[in-house]
Each structure stands twice: as C-alpha cells, then as structure tokens.
Amino acid sequence: MRTIEQALTDHELIVLRVIGEWWELDLTGQDKPACVQALAETLPRINLKQELQFLPPEEADALQALVGSGGRMAVGSFERTHGEVRLMGPGKLEREEPWFDPVSPAESLWYRGMIYRAFDEGVIELNEFYFLPIEFIGRFP
C-alpha cells in the first residue's frame, strides 16, 4: 500500500489544487512539493466516518467496495461498477475542468482526494488498481 504523500505525488499540480479547494486549502501560488505536503498533512485528519454519511449513495458504495476489498481493487473491476476516472494532461484538465461535472462516482472521489490509482508489478505483468492510502485504511465504519 501507499501513503497519501506517495499517492499525491503522482497527481498533476492542477489536480492537487482542486483537491485542496475541496478541503478549503488555498494552494494557488505554491509549487508541487508544497501542495503535496499541505494535502498530506490535511487529508489524514478528515473525519472519514462523517464524510461517508454525507456522500451520495453511489460514492459511498464505491468507497465501501474499496474498504471491503482490503483498500485495493483492480481498475477494471472497480470501473465496471463505479465508473471511470478520465485521465487527462494539465492542459486538458484546465480546459475541461472535469471536477465540476464528474462522469462517475469514482471520478468525483478522485477529485476529492479520497481514492487513488497506481501500478504494481505482478507475477507476469503490471497490474493497475484503485486504492485507499494507508492513512485511510481502518478508519471507515
């Protein structure tokens, strides 16, 4: 598993700023390492039990699916049930602003900094998966 800091490092700067906005952090004017650090200090303090109660049911189900699978689920399996996260470069992110109109529960959680995506080396090939960071594991009801 990965920490929040490790997971955030993989995001584009604009996504870090969007996540910061959601949690009432002003990250404008800061560089990527400063944004990662600020979010890595803030996100572990989120009351996940409370957040889960106020999420739309589809988003809560997506988080519960990750919790139920030990905090990690293959991209294909997760996306079949909870939708995709459209991956974009910084220019397209600025133009389209997908966080204002997410196409799925997964994408909504992505732009809140609640779920992340990564690769791990499997026996034969690389496996891509969605995951909850270490700091979130065990903090959901």
Side-chain angles (χ1 to χ4, degrees):
M1 287 299 194
R2 291 168 171 76
T3 65
I4 287 178
E5 188 170 357
Q6 290 168 328
L8 290 167
T9 301
D10 292 339
H11 280 310
E12 296 288 345
L13 181 57
I14 188 171
V15 175
L16 296 174
R17 289 178 174 155
V18 167
I19 294 169
E21 263 185 54
W22 184 262
W23 301 109
E24 299 178 359
L25 294 174
D26 182 9
L27 302 178
T28 55
Q30 295 189 34
D31 61 5
K32 186 172 179 176
C35 290
V36 168
Q37 186 61 41
L39 287 167
E41 291 171 4
T42 300
L43 292 176
R45 294 191 306 246
I46 295 169
N47 183 337
L48 296 174
K49 185 176 181 179
Q50 181 180 0
E51 288 299 320
L52 197 58
Q53 291 175 348
F54 293 107
L55 286 174
E58 305 82 27
E59 293 174 26
D61 289 347
L63 280 177
Q64 291 290 18
L66 279 173
V67 169
S69 65
R72 176 178 168 156
M73 188 180 285
V75 165
S77 298
F78 188 79
E79 287 186 348
R80 273 190 293 280
T81 308
H82 307 291
E84 70 174 327
V85 174
R86 297 170 291 175
L87 301 177
M88 304 176 193
K92 191 170 183 178
L93 283 165
E94 284 187 42
R95 282 190 310 277
E96 295 196 13
E97 299 178 326
W99 48 89
F100 288 128
D101 190 23
V103 295
S104 69
E107 192 166 78
S108 182
L109 293 169
W110 177 266
Y111 289 111
R112 289 183 189 171
M114 298 185 90
I115 66 170
Y116 299 87
R117 190 170 171 162
F119 287 93
D120 264 346
E121 203 166 315
V123 177
I124 300 174
E125 61 191 5
L126 285 177
N127 298 312
E128 190 174 16
F129 57 93
Y130 285 100
F131 69 97
L132 298 171
I134 292 168
E135 294 89 343
F136 287 1
I137 301 294
R139 294 189 43 222
F140 287 97

